[in-house]
Amino acid sequence: MLSLRLISVLGLVVLSLSVCYADPVSLTLASANNYVSPDGGYVAPYMLQVTGTTQTFPVICDDYTVDVAPGLSWTAQTFSLTNLGSPGDSTRFYGSSTFANTNSATVAYDEAAWLAYQTGLFGGPAATNQQISNLNYAIWYLFDSTGAHGLSTDPGYANNVNDINTLLGDAYSAVTTQPLPDYFSNVVIYTPTCNGQTPCDATTTPPNSQEYIGFTTVPEPGSFALLATGIVGLVARKPLIKIRE
């Protein structure tokens, strides 16, 4: 049986991880993929870095409205698919009601997560650069279906519109007609802080940066990282599993 100490430690771990969502984190765009889409823009993967550390992790951009160059830093909040719309700066497009094929922001973010996973950058089957480009444009079009920011005339979209529409149809079917795959519980949405504006206003000066989707562990503030180190040491010091004799 597990000792009370192990139960307490496990509870502390769960608590430390749960409070990470919606906590602010300082991010830097470390690099962008070497593959360039037909319009000359970068597509996934992008590598984010926790500012002041060497930790980097791959993400995909869901926001076509703002350009971000490697080296730019900003503050973001972290959300899971289950805490969309929670107090604070919510996901950038959560307050909208017009998407490519749904009026539900929840469904739209589920679709974006499904499309992101198909890139193979987060554990799914490997995809070619062109497939990754189409998937990224599908995510962009999902949140910018009016083309107000020039996406509808972007060669990366216009030259592949049939494939992109097929991907959007597949995404909608995947998230509305069957249970969501287990990997959905690992989705992290990195939303730039916007001083309480919902949806996030990309027209502010300076811009609030882009919103990204990843499947990595939520970057922990230093205190949580230190706590985790202490927990590991505690577990290593003394066996916590007792066996009935």
Side-chain angles (χ1 to χ4, degrees):
M1 59 180 283
L2 295 179
S3 71
L4 290 178
R5 179 178 294 184
L6 176 58
I7 294 173
S8 298
V9 169
L10 292 177
L12 191 57
V13 172
V14 172
L15 177 62
S16 67
L17 292 179
S18 64
V19 296
C20 288
Y21 282 112
D23 281 351
V25 60
S26 180
L27 299 172
T28 299
L29 181 62
S31 63
N33 187 9
N34 290 330
Y35 176 69
V36 178
S37 61
D39 71 321
Y42 291 108
V43 295
Y46 306 90
M47 297 300 293
L48 292 186
Q49 183 175 10
V50 179
T51 305
T53 74
T54 58
Q55 177 187 359
T56 61
F57 48 94
V59 292
I60 191 167
C61 174
D62 68 12
D63 188 352
Y64 190 82
T65 62
V66 177
D67 291 327
V68 177
L72 180 66
S73 299
W74 65 93
T75 301
Q77 287 190 302
T78 54
F79 293 87
S80 69
L81 291 174
T82 58
N83 73 340
L84 299 177
S86 59
D89 286 320
S90 187
T91 42
R92 173 165 288 187
F93 302 103
Y94 190 79
S96 302
S97 59
T98 302
F99 304 97
N101 56 11
T102 178
N103 290 326
S104 168
T106 299
V107 172
Y109 274 100
D110 285 348
E111 289 185 71
W114 185 89
L115 290 164
Y117 192 76
Q118 309 314 307
T119 63
L121 303 174
F122 312 101
T128 66
N129 279 334
Q130 184 60 58
Q131 289 170 331
I132 292 173
S133 178
N134 289 348
L135 287 160
N136 208 157
Y137 273 97
I139 293 173
W140 284 329
Y141 189 72
L142 178 66
F143 293 109
D144 187 26
S145 58
T146 64
H149 301 282
L151 179 59
S152 60
T153 58
D154 184 325
Y157 171 80
N159 294 340
N160 301 280
V161 62
N162 291 334
D163 291 338
I164 290 170
N165 283 335
T166 297
L167 288 172
L168 287 169
D170 291 344
Y172 183 82
S173 296
V175 304
T176 58
T177 62
Q178 61 187 24
L180 296 180
D182 290 340
Y183 62 75
F184 272 61
S185 63
N186 298 323
V187 174
V188 182
I189 302 168
Y190 301 94
T191 302
T193 56
C194 299
N195 300 320
Q197 301 170 22
T198 303
C200 188
D201 186 0
T203 65
T204 58
T205 303
N208 288 306
S209 185
Q210 295 171 323
E211 182 175 83
Y212 293 89
I213 295 174
F215 291 79
T216 58
T217 300
V218 180
E220 297 177 335
S223 58
F224 290 135
L226 182 61
L227 174 62
T229 302
I231 291 173
V232 171
L234 177 61
V235 173
R237 282 183 57 189
K238 184 173 182 179
L240 299 178
I241 299 179
K242 295 183 178 179
I243 302 175
R244 285 184 187 271
E245 297 182 354

